[in-house]
Amino acid sequence: MPELSYREAVRDALATAMRQDDGVFILGEDIAEMGGSMGVTSGMLEEFGSERVRNTPISEMALAGAAIGAAMQGMRPVAEIMYEDFMTLAAEQVVNQAAKLRYMSGGQLTVPVVFRTQGGAGWSPGAQHAQQLEAWFVHIPGLKVVFASTPEDVRGLLWSSIYDDNPVVFFEHRTLYGIKGEVPEKIEPIPIGKARVHREGEDVTVIATGRLVHESLKAAEEAEKQGVSVEVVDPRTLQPLDEETLVASVKKTNRAVVAHEAVTRMGFGAEVASVIQYQAFDWLDAPIERVGAKFAPLPFAPVMEQFIVPHSDDVLAAIMRTVGRNGD
Amino acid sequence: MPELSYREAVRDALATAMRQDDGVFILGEDIAEMGGSMGVTSGMLEEFGSERVRNTPISEMALAGAAIGAAMQGMRPVAEIMYEDFMTLAAEQVVNQAAKLRYMSGGQLTVPVVFRTQGGAGWSPGAQHAQQLEAWFVHIPGLKVVFASTPEDVRGLLWSSIYDDNPVVFFEHRTLYGIKGEVPEKIEPIPIGKARVHREGEDVTVIATGRLVHESLKAAEEAEKQGVSVEVVDPRTLQPLDEETLVASVKKTNRAVVAHEAVTRMGFGAEVASVIQYQAFDWLDAPIERVGAKFAPLPFAPVMEQFIVPHSDDVLAAIMRTVGRNGD
Amino acid sequence: MAKVETKTSLAKGDLRDVLREMLLIRRFEEKVEERFRAGELPGFLHVAIGQEACAVGVCRALEDGDIIASTHRAHGHTLAKGTHPNELMAELYGKAEGCSHGYGGSMHLYDVERGNMGANAVIGGGLPHVTGAALAFKMRGEPRVALAFFGDGATNIGTFHEALNLAQLWKVPAVFVLEDNHWAESTPESQHSPIRDLSDRAKAFGMKALKADGQDVEAVYKTTRQALDYARSGKGPVFVHLDCVRLHGHYIGDPQVYRDKDEARKLAETRDPITLLREKLAVSDEEFDELDAEVTEIVEASVDFAKNGTDPAPEDALKNIYA
Amino acid sequence: MAKVETKTSLAKGDLRDVLREMLLIRRFEEKVEERFRAGELPGFLHVAIGQEACAVGVCRALEDGDIIASTHRAHGHTLAKGTHPNELMAELYGKAEGCSHGYGGSMHLYDVERGNMGANAVIGGGLPHVTGAALAFKMRGEPRVALAFFGDGATNIGTFHEALNLAQLWKVPAVFVLEDNHWAESTPESQHSPIRDLSDRAKAFGMKALKADGQDVEAVYKTTRQALDYARSGKGPVFVHLDCVRLHGHYIGDPQVYRDKDEARKLAETRDPITLLREKLAVSDEEFDELDAEVTEIVEASVDFAKNGTDPAPEDALKNIYA
Ligand SMILES: Cc1ncc(C[n+]2csc(CCOP(=O)(O)OP(=O)(O)O)c2C)c(N)n1
Ligand SMILES: Cc1ncc(C[n+]2csc(CCOP(=O)(O)OP(=O)(O)O)c2C)c(N)n1
Ligand SMILES: [Mg+2]
Ligand SMILES: [Mg+2]
């Protein structure tokens, strides 16, 4: 099996779809000559030309909206919003338009558009270039929401997103672009709505997304050394959510930790915790732990930034807290 | 004690603050001659003139941003965003600017601005004029979030919001403007961060916001007839959240229902349920029930609209489900 | 597709048909006002009484395959783009037979088969869609044009600026039709815009701008034709400024406390587009009454159709969320 | 406050000081590049090498009490508005002594006491604040002006359109300074804007527009003066278009694969604002070296100051969230 970086995996999904399908094109700020602010689309201008690798002016709202309009006319555009924080500028189009057009038209319209964006702490970009806003879009009926954590997943899920007939908000994590992993020779679509069990375990289930999947796997290894067996599950798609897999895992382990980089309060973990406490109430031996960013904007100074966002030791501490409780 | 409608109570807080304080002014679309789309600011132009009751063009982003700029220079502007759905257009300014300016400046800046907005189903305005988005803003450190359900609360909390030195997102519910209630002769500020226990009870705690406070009180009366004693608590401020009062109530009743009009998935109830399962785990005799809108945009046809959003019978059903569980 | 042959002006016979269509829209909207006041219609409704020449003049100029995006004030555009009054009225009654099957309502009217990509209740919300649709046409080499309606108030929102800027930058076949009725809800133009000629908005993008009297349906038709030809030929988008009047309130039920009562009365007397066309065509009272009776019957029938329509089942609300 | 007396041009002595200040900014930014490459500076950094005349010319023209809002490319503006190099450098090192106490970083520089309301990492994000600040000044009858810097790329975003439109509508004392370096990140102006003279953007609002060579600090000063006087006198906002050059990459470390190497080299040879001023003032090599040594020492000292600064405690991250 070939090895790709997360960055290359994203690019491979885009390029392969564009090779096989004239309707697929990409648009965004500085995605052409420069290959995007994270180098994801690097080299694509040369292969596909400026009609299909389309630099846009700084107009997040209109570029999102133009992608929607093209999608309504049968294209499959993939729009890049350079930083997740700028999704706020495209929010009207994503939330009031893309998500609702099919519904408001009573099923007449189809809007097969993907909004790719990225974010994450770790490089001290400060409060306006690092926040994680995936929870917002999970709250909006009509959208699908994907957040992949490995090269294999990001490629297979982006592929599925491009060919999904619904608007998909597709989150990437900045610090993952460099990680490498094996991927199937040929792109295999990964169904939207299927969680991935990264590691089986008996004592506690950690449900994690994005960067925190990796932090959780690290924490799980550490916990193992301390005699605690940890199952790590990545929902991968936040909407639809594979409640079945998550709940089944917790029914097996009787304990749960939810981990993401976004602020804990009103973060995606709140939804997961609510679902689990409801569906696995009689199985739970301890309160569900939530691990996420502390309640602050992201500060600049690295020492403060690292304090705000969670790491493997935070996940480990949560694991230990939850197994420290007596079951009943 | 005088009686005011919810609408008059909002107006009274605005007008009283404007009478006593030159720094307070209001701005928004059609708030002057027309008195706003909901008539809230009706008559204020006549009293305060067009400098302080400032009609704006259709520019949600700039009117929010201009309010922020004026607040940074020591004014206390209250910006009206006509419909909650249009908060998406102001989101960048509210979320990346107002919420973070103090922090990014290391405490140099103060941004005492209020963003008033309203929404809610009930009048069949359709998918782009009725959604409830309060959960979004609860996720953003630096903002305070208020959602009042009675004339007394809306007046006292708006007063506190105007004089709070932080940006406040202030939600009103369209269907509540007409309800009447007694208010103190003189405006008494209500602390931001204090829940209100509307009704004491022994068997189950219903935590509700906005319109659902009234639906929950109705459901509580009905439950009473069926022998179930219900406590109804309105957090009133979603950020900061009075966790103490909520948790204390659930520790007493051992059962909880969370109710709001917004979509259940990733709604405010998810956060409340997560907090309660964590802090009152050993006290809970049943899973926490969540009552909210079904997972759909708001449809136009009244019969469908009413199906999507929750009513007192949905709260009642949740109460009955939760008391139907055996405690352990 | 071959390039369609261009008609640059309306023939006399066409004009009689145009009058009939404008009158149909007028009677339809008057009926909507009546039924709303009778408490039969839910939702927020906005009539475009006084702006019929814009809707009809513009939509007549379109070719098959061209598409439109409309606004909150959409009944006229929808009828002019070919939706049957029955389907429109059924939608306003929230019926399954409605053009949005009861999911949309007055501010969300769609008829995708007929090229109506929808009304939009968010000011400016549809403008980037038109840029994007036109881009799709251009990328596929289709000789189609995407056309957006919007109001004077909409020229203040960022979406307008971004969408038109992008359209010009990419030289897509789009036409942006400003129906300038000089009001944005309760706010007169002088209070919402710093410039007195909204055609100047196009200068920020270097976009070709045309202007016409929006009360003169022939002028509207001709100007739109010109704009469509230009856009279709690949030269880029066009901004069309139609000077028009809003004879009634912003929404049905609007007491218009903010407006001088005389203004609307005077406009109704001097600038009613139906009266103007009728005079131009020298339609006799008898002829006019005949036309009127004919369209009134259609409107009445649409109310019957709507009232006899099917209420969606409550659970239908869970359909059509995802494809 | 009484109306401040107006200086319409810079005296000879001032100009020598201006040269020194521009050189200080240049050396400061070169040092920042060096320290970034050495791996000492976290975050995303953008230098404005080549644009020093804009920062200095504009800020010199301001009166006490006037305020500015800056962009992601903020070092020059910040120094020119009076922040000490020590405090700026300390911020870039993430120290408590920094002008944002380590919470902001290069894209979020503040010095509120000195009227710098902050850099902004969101394109266009600060523009409506300037409209609002100017509104506050106007409402309180204070003779102050609020001034925003922004780039050519920023003229494409809706925030720009809305904020300038509102400022003109309300006739607030604001000045909007476009630093047109003809690049938005990797995107040349011809690819991001459909018009070739960005002064035309002001026409959409009917805003008074002035233009100057942004490499000529005297011209920048004079033009800004004119704009400030106009705004301060209550006549409304002014759009100031400065034609300038970006000599280095978009961000530090930018390999500029998208840019012809010759372009930047030629610009450095012919349009470096420091060289231009130096020639105009006929500064001898000795004099220049003296100046250079002087500012270099200040810059070196700022690095020492920064390195010896206090790291915030991790828990400090939980402060300053709410007032
Ligand atoms: C973004 C947004 N802001 C506010 C509104 C409320 N609103 C509906 S119509 C309208 C006025 C629109 O004026 P104009 O564009 O001139 O259209 P007209 O009503 O005159 O047809 C306003 C403010 C809205 N629908 N969308
Ligand atoms: C809303 C938004 N979109 C995109 C970016 C990423 N970005 C940072 S600087 C920049 C280019 C800005 O160009 P211009 O306004 O000309 O300023 P310059 O960099 O030339 O000083 C872009 C696209 C951003 N910071 N904010
Ligand atoms: Mg109008
Ligand atoms: Mg630039």
Side-chain angles (χ1 to χ4, degrees):
Chain A
M1 291 220 293
E3 206 185 53
L4 289 181
S5 70
Y6 185 93
R7 177 184 284 108
E8 291 163 342
V10 174
R11 189 187 303 143
D12 194 37
L14 294 172
T16 308
M18 284 173 72
R19 272 174 219 131
Q20 79 165 37
D21 190 339
D22 282 349
V24 180
F25 69 101
I26 61 177
L27 69 170
E29 294 159 17
D30 300 291
I31 65 165
E33 287 82 359
M34 189 170 171
S37 68
M38 296 294 135
V40 170
T41 55
S42 183
M44 292 183 67
L45 173 68
E46 290 68 27
E47 178 172 357
F48 299 104
S50 60
E51 279 284 301
R52 296 180 68 204
V53 176
R54 203 165 259 279
N55 256 2
T56 72
I58 307 174
S59 305
E60 279 78 7
M61 182 146 45
L63 85 88
I68 293 167
M72 283 159 72
Q73 296 306 323
M75 305 294 277
R76 293 193 176 275
V78 182
E80 176 174 303
I81 302 293
M82 199 189 274
Y83 290 85
E84 216 163 310
D85 312 73
F86 312 155
M87 288 296 289
T88 53
L89 286 160
E92 198 285 305
Q93 285 295 319
V94 176
V95 165
N96 292 331
Q97 308 294 337
K100 298 178 170 63
L101 282 165
R102 181 175 190 80
Y103 193 75
M104 297 188 299
S105 69
Q108 291 173 75
L109 286 170
T110 306
V111 190
V113 62
V114 180
F115 304 104
R116 278 184 54 238
T117 191
Q118 62 82 31
W123 299 358
S124 275
Q128 294 176 331
H129 275 65
Q131 73 196 308
Q132 302 265 290
L133 289 176
E134 65 278 4
W136 278 24
F137 301 93
V138 175
H139 194 41
I140 307 298
L143 297 178
K144 296 191 176 180
V145 182
V146 177
F147 192 3
S149 63
T150 70
E152 181 183 355
D153 286 354
V154 86
R155 194 177 70 158
L157 282 164
L158 181 51
W159 184 267
S160 297
S161 299
I162 293 170
Y163 286 102
D164 196 290
D165 278 340
N166 298 287
V168 179
V169 186
F170 194 93
F171 290 95
E172 297 162 20
H173 196 286
R174 187 179 313 154
T175 65
L176 298 182
Y177 282 122
I179 64 159
K180 299 202 162 188
E182 295 202 329
V183 298
E185 197 72 53
K186 216 175 135 307
I187 295 181
E188 284 167 17
I190 295 175
I192 293 183
K194 252 342 266 158
R196 174 173 177 176
V197 179
H198 271 276
R199 188 184 199 281
E200 304 209 355
E202 299 301 321
D203 300 327
V204 51
T205 299
V206 177
I207 297 159
T209 60
R211 181 176 65 80
L212 266 288
V213 172
H214 304 274
E215 299 292 315
S216 297
L217 287 168
K218 241 189 280 176
E221 270 176 45
E222 194 51 42
E224 188 87 50
K225 288 184 203 153
Q226 302 182 33
V228 179
S229 163
V230 180
E231 181 143 317
V232 178
V233 186
D234 178 358
R236 303 194 294 194
T237 65
L238 316 191
Q239 186 76 261
L241 180 62
D242 184 357
E243 300 185 7
E244 212 175 302
T245 301
L246 306 188
V247 170
S249 174
V250 176
K251 283 188 177 171
K252 180 179 74 170
T253 62
N254 310 114
R255 288 177 161 84
V257 173
V258 196
H260 51 59
E261 187 179 297
V263 167
T264 304
R265 169 128 304 175
M266 206 65 257
F268 175 63
E271 180 61 32
V272 173
S274 298
V275 165
I276 290 175
Q277 69 83 29
Y278 196 71
Q279 295 187 35
F281 185 78
D282 292 324
W283 283 263
L284 278 175
D285 286 342
I288 302 159
E289 295 280 341
R290 288 191 288 163
V291 176
K294 297 185 178 66
F295 197 66
L298 281 161
F300 168 64
V303 49
M304 293 199 287
E305 192 202 33
Q306 291 309 304
F307 176 75
I308 290 300
V309 296
H311 304 281
S312 65
D313 51 343
D314 298 296
V315 180
L316 182 64
I319 289 170
M320 290 308 172
R321 270 198 307 277
T322 188
V323 295
R325 294 274 302 214
N326 291 330
D328 44 327
Chain B
M1 294 221 290
E3 205 185 54
L4 289 182
S5 71
Y6 185 92
R7 177 184 284 110
E8 290 162 342
V10 174
R11 189 186 304 142
D12 194 37
L14 293 173
T16 307
M18 285 174 73
R19 270 174 220 132
Q20 80 165 37
D21 190 338
D22 282 349
V24 180
F25 71 101
I26 61 177
L27 70 170
E29 293 158 17
D30 300 292
I31 65 166
E33 287 81 359
M34 190 169 169
S37 69
M38 295 295 137
V40 170
T41 54
S42 181
M44 291 183 70
L45 174 68
E46 291 68 26
E47 178 173 355
F48 299 104
S50 59
E51 280 284 303
R52 297 180 69 203
V53 176
R54 203 166 260 280
N55 255 4
T56 72
I58 307 174
S59 305
E60 279 77 6
M61 182 145 44
L63 85 88
I68 292 167
M72 284 159 73
Q73 297 306 324
M75 306 294 278
R76 293 193 175 276
V78 181
E80 176 173 304
I81 301 293
M82 198 189 274
Y83 290 85
E84 217 164 307
D85 312 73
F86 310 155
M87 288 296 289
T88 52
L89 287 160
E92 198 285 305
Q93 285 294 319
V94 176
V95 166
N96 292 332
Q97 309 293 339
K100 298 178 170 63
L101 282 166
R102 180 176 191 77
Y103 193 76
M104 297 187 300
S105 69
Q108 291 172 75
L109 287 170
T110 306
V111 191
V113 62
V114 180
F115 304 104
R116 280 183 54 239
T117 190
Q118 61 82 32
W123 298 0
S124 275
Q128 294 176 330
H129 275 66
Q131 72 196 308
Q132 302 265 290
L133 289 176
E134 64 277 4
W136 279 23
F137 301 94
V138 176
H139 193 41
I140 307 299
L143 297 178
K144 296 191 177 181
V145 182
V146 177
F147 192 4
S149 64
T150 70
E152 182 184 353
D153 286 354
V154 87
R155 194 177 70 159
L157 282 163
L158 181 52
W159 184 267
S160 298
S161 300
I162 294 170
Y163 286 102
D164 196 290
D165 278 339
N166 298 287
V168 179
V169 186
F170 195 94
F171 289 95
E172 297 162 19
H173 195 286
R174 187 178 313 153
T175 64
L176 297 182
Y177 283 122
I179 63 158
K180 300 203 160 187
E182 294 201 334
V183 296
E185 195 72 53
K186 215 174 136 311
I187 296 182
E188 285 167 18
I190 295 175
I192 293 183
K194 256 337 271 156
R196 173 172 178 174
V197 179
H198 270 277
R199 187 181 197 283
E200 303 207 356
E202 299 302 321
D203 300 328
V204 51
T205 300
V206 177
I207 297 159
T209 61
R211 180 176 65 81
L212 266 289
V213 173
H214 303 275
E215 299 293 314
S216 297
L217 287 168
K218 240 189 279 176
E221 271 176 43
E222 195 51 43
E224 188 86 49
K225 289 185 201 149
Q226 302 181 34
V228 180
S229 164
V230 180
E231 180 143 318
V232 178
V233 186
D234 178 359
R236 303 194 292 194
T237 65
L238 317 189
Q239 187 75 261
L241 180 61
D242 185 357
E243 299 185 7
E244 211 175 303
T245 300
L246 307 187
V247 170
S249 174
V250 176
K251 283 187 178 171
K252 180 180 73 171
T253 62
N254 309 114
R255 288 176 161 85
V257 173
V258 196
H260 51 59
E261 187 179 296
V263 167
T264 303
R265 170 126 306 174
M266 206 66 255
F268 175 65
E271 180 60 33
V272 172
S274 297
V275 165
I276 290 174
Q277 70 82 28
Y278 196 69
Q279 295 187 36
F281 185 77
D282 292 324
W283 283 262
L284 278 175
D285 286 342
I288 301 157
E289 295 280 341
R290 288 191 289 163
V291 176
K294 296 183 179 68
F295 198 66
L298 281 160
F300 167 64
V303 50
M304 293 201 286
E305 191 202 33
Q306 291 308 305
F307 176 76
I308 290 300
V309 296
H311 304 279
S312 65
D313 50 344
D314 297 295
V315 180
L316 183 64
I319 289 169
M320 290 308 173
R321 269 198 307 278
T322 187
V323 297
R325 294 273 301 214
N326 290 330
D328 46 326
Chain C
M1 254 191 270
K3 175 97 179 46
V4 219
E5 209 194 312
T6 292
K7 276 196 313 188
T8 51
S9 61
L10 292 160
K12 186 86 201 262
D14 288 338
L15 277 172
R16 206 162 287 262
D17 204 39
V18 162
L19 179 64
R20 185 184 158 283
E21 195 172 339
M22 285 166 56
L23 194 59
L24 173 66
I25 294 173
R26 173 71 55 89
R27 296 294 178 249
F28 186 93
E29 293 212 297
E30 287 168 348
K31 180 56 72 176
V32 168
E33 291 188 320
E34 175 201 302
R35 293 297 88 205
F36 181 85
R37 294 215 164 83
E40 284 179 10
L41 301 180
F44 299 167
L45 294 105
H46 309 82
V47 295
I49 289 178
Q51 301 178 208
E52 295 86 353
C54 299
V56 174
V58 167
C59 289
R60 285 254 160 174
L62 295 166
E63 300 291 343
D64 282 354
D66 292 348
I67 62 154
I68 66 163
S70 173
T71 67
H72 57 289
R73 204 176 293 291
H75 306 150
H77 306 150
T78 306
L79 292 171
K81 192 72 177 78
T83 300
H84 195 284
N86 285 359
E87 288 170 34
L88 175 53
M89 192 63 89
E91 186 59 31
L92 304 185
Y93 274 83
K95 301 292 182 172
E97 290 80 3
C99 61
S100 310
H101 307 305
Y103 289 75
S106 172
M107 297 198 289
H108 309 287
L109 302 169
Y110 297 83
D111 196 337
V112 173
E113 216 184 289
R114 294 191 181 82
N116 183 348
M117 307 311 289
N120 212 307
V122 180
I123 297 300
L127 297 174
H129 306 170
V130 158
T131 298
L135 175 64
F137 299 158
K138 184 179 174 177
M139 287 177 77
R140 295 194 297 241
E142 298 169 356
R144 301 164 67 185
V145 179
L147 179 146
F149 290 100
F150 58 99
D152 46 308
T155 68
N156 295 303
I157 196 157
T159 331
F160 162 83
H161 175 81
E162 291 191 8
L164 271 73
N165 189 52
L166 203 56
Q168 180 65 33
L169 182 67
W170 288 348
K171 286 209 162 23
V172 297
V175 173
F176 296 96
V177 178
L178 165 58
E179 288 183 87
D180 185 357
N181 63 11
H182 309 280
W183 286 95
E185 208 154 329
S186 73
T187 311
E189 204 156 301
S190 59
Q191 226 184 85
H192 76 62
S193 178
I195 53 176
R196 292 289 57 82
D197 181 354
L198 289 180
S199 292
D200 288 350
R201 294 290 194 198
K203 294 186 178 157
F205 328 112
M207 192 181 289
K208 182 183 176 70
L210 301 174
K211 208 168 172 170
D213 177 357
Q215 304 310 99
D216 174 351
V217 70
E218 285 194 272
V220 172
Y221 177 88
K222 269 193 207 164
T223 309
T224 308
R225 259 285 166 207
Q226 225 182 307
L228 288 165
D229 289 348
Y230 185 92
R232 205 182 308 276
S233 73
K235 296 200 191 106
V238 184
F239 183 92
V240 175
H241 182 175
L242 302 179
D243 186 3
C244 64
V245 303
R246 190 190 90 193
L247 295 178
H248 288 204
H250 170 62
Y251 57 92
I252 306 182
D254 181 357
Q256 300 195 73
V257 291
Y258 51 81
R259 193 178 186 184
D260 180 5
K261 296 272 167 290
D262 278 353
E263 187 218 330
R265 224 211 4 256
K266 214 173 286 168
L267 288 174
E269 278 165 19
T270 58
R271 299 198 64 207
D272 185 321
I274 293 175
T275 313
L276 292 173
L277 182 58
R278 180 184 167 175
E279 281 168 4
K280 189 189 257 182
L281 297 179
V283 174
S284 70
D285 287 359
E286 294 72 38
E287 274 180 292
F288 189 80
D289 290 347
E290 219 168 276
L291 269 185
D292 204 353
E294 190 187 322
V295 301
T296 301
E297 196 173 320
I298 294 171
V299 169
E300 290 295 345
S302 77
V303 174
D304 286 345
F305 177 86
K307 287 189 175 178
N308 290 318
T310 320
D311 279 318
E315 311 78 50
D316 286 345
L318 296 174
K319 294 180 185 160
N320 292 320
I321 305 169
Y322 292 99
Chain D
M1 257 191 270
K3 174 96 177 48
V4 218
E5 208 194 312
T6 294
K7 277 196 311 187
T8 50
S9 61
L10 292 160
K12 186 89 200 264
D14 289 338
L15 278 172
R16 207 161 287 262
D17 203 41
V18 161
L19 178 64
R20 185 184 158 283
E21 194 171 340
M22 285 166 57
L23 194 59
L24 172 66
I25 294 173
R26 173 70 56 88
R27 295 295 178 248
F28 185 94
E29 293 211 298
E30 286 167 349
K31 179 58 73 178
V32 168
E33 291 189 321
E34 176 202 300
R35 294 297 87 205
F36 181 85
R37 293 213 164 86
E40 284 179 9
L41 300 181
F44 299 168
L45 293 104
H46 309 81
V47 295
I49 288 177
Q51 300 179 210
E52 294 86 352
C54 299
V56 175
V58 167
C59 290
R60 285 255 161 174
L62 296 166
E63 300 291 343
D64 282 355
D66 291 348
I67 62 154
I68 65 162
S70 173
T71 68
H72 56 291
R73 205 176 292 290
H75 307 150
H77 305 149
T78 305
L79 291 172
K81 192 74 176 75
T83 299
H84 195 284
N86 286 358
E87 289 170 32
L88 175 52
M89 192 63 88
E91 186 60 29
L92 304 186
Y93 275 84
K95 301 292 181 172
E97 291 80 4
C99 61
S100 310
H101 307 304
Y103 290 77
S106 172
M107 297 198 290
H108 308 288
L109 303 169
Y110 297 83
D111 196 339
V112 173
E113 216 184 289
R114 294 192 181 79
N116 182 346
M117 307 312 288
N120 212 306
V122 181
I123 297 299
L127 297 174
H129 306 170
V130 158
T131 299
L135 175 64
F137 299 157
K138 183 178 175 179
M139 287 177 77
R140 295 194 298 241
E142 297 168 355
R144 301 164 67 186
V145 179
L147 180 145
F149 289 100
F150 58 100
D152 46 308
T155 68
N156 294 305
I157 196 157
T159 331
F160 162 82
H161 175 82
E162 291 191 7
L164 271 73
N165 189 52
L166 203 56
Q168 180 66 31
L169 182 67
W170 288 349
K171 286 209 164 22
V172 297
V175 172
F176 296 96
V177 178
L178 166 58
E179 286 183 86
D180 186 356
N181 63 10
H182 309 281
W183 286 95
E185 209 155 326
S186 73
T187 311
E189 202 156 302
S190 58
Q191 226 185 83
H192 76 61
S193 177
I195 53 175
R196 292 288 57 81
D197 179 354
L198 290 180
S199 292
D200 287 350
R201 293 289 194 200
K203 293 186 179 157
F205 328 112
M207 193 181 289
K208 181 182 177 67
L210 301 173
K211 207 169 173 169
D213 177 357
Q215 303 311 98
D216 175 350
V217 69
E218 284 194 88
V220 172
Y221 178 89
K222 268 193 209 164
T223 308
T224 308
R225 260 286 166 207
Q226 224 182 307
L228 288 166
D229 289 347
Y230 185 92
R232 206 182 308 277
S233 74
K235 296 201 193 104
V238 184
F239 183 91
V240 175
H241 182 176
L242 302 179
D243 187 4
C244 63
V245 303
R246 189 189 90 193
L247 295 178
H248 287 204
H250 170 63
Y251 57 92
I252 307 183
D254 182 357
Q256 300 195 72
V257 291
Y258 51 81
R259 193 179 188 185
D260 180 4
K261 295 274 169 284
D262 278 352
E263 187 217 331
R265 224 210 5 256
K266 214 172 286 166
L267 289 174
E269 278 164 20
T270 59
R271 298 197 67 207
D272 185 320
I274 293 174
T275 314
L276 293 173
L277 182 57
R278 181 185 166 174
E279 282 168 3
K280 190 189 259 182
L281 298 178
V283 175
S284 70
D285 286 358
E286 294 73 35
E287 274 181 291
F288 189 80
D289 290 348
E290 219 170 277
L291 269 184
D292 204 353
E294 190 188 323
V295 300
T296 301
E297 197 175 319
I298 294 171
V299 169
E300 290 297 345
S302 78
V303 173
D304 286 344
F305 178 85
K307 287 188 176 176
N308 290 316
T310 322
D311 279 319
E315 310 79 51
D316 286 346
L318 296 175
K319 295 179 184 160
N320 293 320
I321 305 169
Y322 291 98

